[in-house]
Amino acid sequence: MHQMKTGFRLTLVGIMLSTMTLLVGCGGGDEQAADEQARETAEAAAQEEVASREAQEEQSEPAKEVEPLDVRILVSASIGSDRRLLVEGETNLPDGAQVQVIVERELSRVRWRERVDVEQGQFIAGPFGPGSGLPDGGYSVKVELSEATVQPRAVQQRIGEEGEYLTGELITQSRHGLGQIATYTTRFMVGNQPRESRGNAELLQTP
């Protein structure tokens, strides 16, 4: 009987030790999870603080002012052996800027147009006219800087997203309400003895 009681007590002690071990193990797991959670919270707070500081630094930086661009365009034209018009231009518009060149015969209002890019301050368009060549008479040549919305990003940054940095006597409002554009117009007379035409115009003699 005494041996049975001793065995029972040993068994009971073993159960109690096992239970304590489980409790200790569980407690250690909770402490580890709590440590990990605290570390993650601290890291998140640090990242948030860094992001907030960077945002404040960006806001504190003054906005860069863009110098206004006083647009200048100069156009020359020549008549080839095929009696068609070649238009060449010089401008201070940024490289990559898209300009549209329009040639119109004053008598018939027939138009020819071409879109070209500015390269190193210059552009070339044409030749303009029918295959049979341009009849004698007066012609207007218009060079128009397209709206900023269709310009390359680098050009937009220079002239403004609505052309707001463009200045000078060549600046007008876009017909489509898309901001400011630049327009230059000149006139030429074609032929050795051209018909009379309004205003002054450079005479382009045919070959």
Side-chain angles (χ1 to χ4, degrees):
M1 177 67 73
H2 179 72
Q3 292 179 351
M4 291 178 62
K5 289 182 179 180
T6 301
F8 178 76
R9 282 198 298 268
L10 290 174
T11 302
L12 183 59
V13 171
I15 293 174
M16 292 176 64
L17 290 174
S18 299
T19 304
M20 291 176 64
T21 301
L22 290 173
L23 290 174
V24 170
C26 292
D30 291 342
E31 290 177 0
Q32 184 178 2
D35 290 342
E36 292 179 356
Q37 184 176 0
R39 184 168 57 254
E40 292 175 357
T41 302
E43 291 176 354
Q47 292 175 358
E48 184 177 352
E49 182 179 354
V50 171
S52 177
R53 185 166 57 252
E54 291 177 350
Q56 290 177 357
E57 291 176 354
E58 291 179 358
Q59 292 177 359
S60 62
E61 291 181 358
K64 294 182 179 179
E65 294 185 2
V66 179
E67 182 180 356
L69 178 61
D70 186 3
V71 179
R72 297 188 301 275
I73 299 174
L74 181 63
V75 168
S76 61
S78 59
I79 292 291
S81 57
D82 57 357
R83 290 183 60 94
R84 300 174 72 194
L85 189 69
L86 182 67
V87 176
E88 300 180 62
E90 296 181 1
T91 180
N92 63 341
L93 290 170
D95 286 352
Q98 296 180 0
V99 297
Q100 186 170 215
V101 180
I102 304 171
V103 175
E104 179 180 296
R105 187 186 180 199
E106 295 177 343
L107 184 62
S108 64
R109 300 299 181 187
V110 174
R111 293 184 175 186
W112 300 268
R113 65 182 65 206
E114 182 180 355
R115 191 182 303 274
V116 296
D117 295 342
V118 174
E119 296 183 5
Q120 298 182 350
Q122 298 179 332
F123 59 88
I124 299 177
F128 296 97
S132 57
L134 293 172
D136 289 356
Y139 293 84
S140 68
V141 176
K142 178 190 290 187
V143 178
E144 186 174 273
L145 173 68
S146 303
E147 292 88 348
T149 54
V150 302
Q151 298 290 348
R153 184 58 185 168
V155 177
Q156 287 184 16
Q157 291 175 346
R158 181 64 186 94
I159 70 175
E161 294 186 356
E162 294 184 355
E164 64 268 23
Y165 303 136
L166 300 174
T167 62
E169 60 182 11
L170 303 181
I171 306 307
T172 59
Q173 290 293 324
S174 168
R175 295 185 302 272
H176 307 101
L178 299 176
Q180 295 189 136
I181 59 174
T183 303
Y184 172 86
T185 303
T186 189
R187 299 177 60 252
F188 297 96
M189 300 295 294
V190 174
N192 294 324
Q193 294 180 340
R195 303 171 184 173
E196 293 184 1
S197 183
R198 304 184 302 275
N200 296 324
E202 181 182 348
L203 174 62
L204 302 177
Q205 294 186 343
T206 55

